[in-house]
Amino acid sequence: MDCPLAFKKEKLRHLEDGCRQNGLAMTVQRRVVLDALAERTDHPSADQLYDAVRGRLRGISRTTVYRVLETLVGIGVVQKISNPESKARYDANTVRHHHIHCIRCEKIEDMHTPALHLAQQVPIATESGFTIVDYSINFSGICPDCRS
Ligand SMILES: [Zn+2]
Ligand SMILES: [Zn+2]
């Protein structure tokens, strides 16, 4: 599913601001990867992003896409999301939200169910002594496309 255009532009501007605030120059490679990530809502893998950008920027390599993603994750503009596959999946939305993973086609969508706003019930530490700084909840299921 593609984002509406206005939303995509806003998201892209926000991502570019995040890069600039972290002193990261907006190279053509970074821009094309951010662009490809901002227009998707299915939480693509690095390989899927490479497939999306190779037609737009001649000569961009898979390694470059991987490296750009690591840089963006490193400064916190993009997040790597946990999922049942071993392959990392990427999300340009770093505000806390939850995910559902389709066990058949492996697409990952956002979940914004109000009942999942657990701020009041989330503990601040674990029994073993961890201080909790963040959390996310991952669901698995079967998407409407795969069910029909
Ligand atoms: Zn599916
Ligand atoms: Zn997400």
Side-chain angles (χ1 to χ4, degrees):
M1 188 174 50
D2 287 344
C3 298
L5 191 60
F7 179 66
K8 186 198 151 183
K9 278 193 176 147
E10 174 65 35
K11 199 166 159 189
L12 200 56
R13 204 167 48 94
H14 177 77
L15 288 167
E16 290 181 359
D17 285 350
C19 290
R20 257 178 243 117
Q21 280 158 17
N22 285 280
L24 201 67
M26 196 38 63
T27 61
V28 62
Q29 289 91 347
R30 285 172 185 156
R31 177 180 290 274
V32 81
V33 171
L34 273 181
D35 209 21
L37 189 55
E39 70 189 21
R40 298 174 69 137
T41 57
D42 64 343
H43 305 80
S45 66
D47 288 335
Q48 286 175 310
L49 281 170
Y50 170 67
D51 286 339
V53 301
R54 61 203 269 206
R56 298 183 201 177
L57 186 62
R58 204 207 300 241
I60 192 165
S61 69
R62 196 179 293 267
T63 315
T64 301
V65 171
Y66 273 75
R67 214 172 41 221
V68 165
L69 283 168
E70 287 310 309
T71 305
L72 295 171
V73 170
I75 64 168
V77 166
V78 167
Q79 66 166 333
K80 239 187 221 183
I81 58 175
S82 49
N83 69 88
E85 309 167 66
S86 51
K87 245 191 255 167
R89 304 276 290 257
Y90 295 88
D91 195 343
N93 179 2
T94 55
V95 175
R96 185 192 304 120
H97 61 282
H98 308 293
H99 292 114
I100 182 153
H101 166 259
C102 176
I103 57 174
R104 297 216 178 127
C105 68
E106 307 206 317
K107 108 172 118 203
I108 296 177
E109 281 189 3
D110 289 342
M111 272 182 76
H112 298 285
T113 314
L116 296 176
H117 295 165
L118 304 172
Q120 304 308 314
Q121 291 106 294
V122 170
I124 56 166
T126 68
E127 306 79 57
S128 65
F130 269 81
T131 302
I132 295 171
V133 294
D134 200 7
Y135 70 94
S136 64
I137 307 174
N138 297 298
F139 295 84
S140 298
I142 299 172
C143 78
D145 292 339
C146 292
R147 213 177 39 229
S148 60

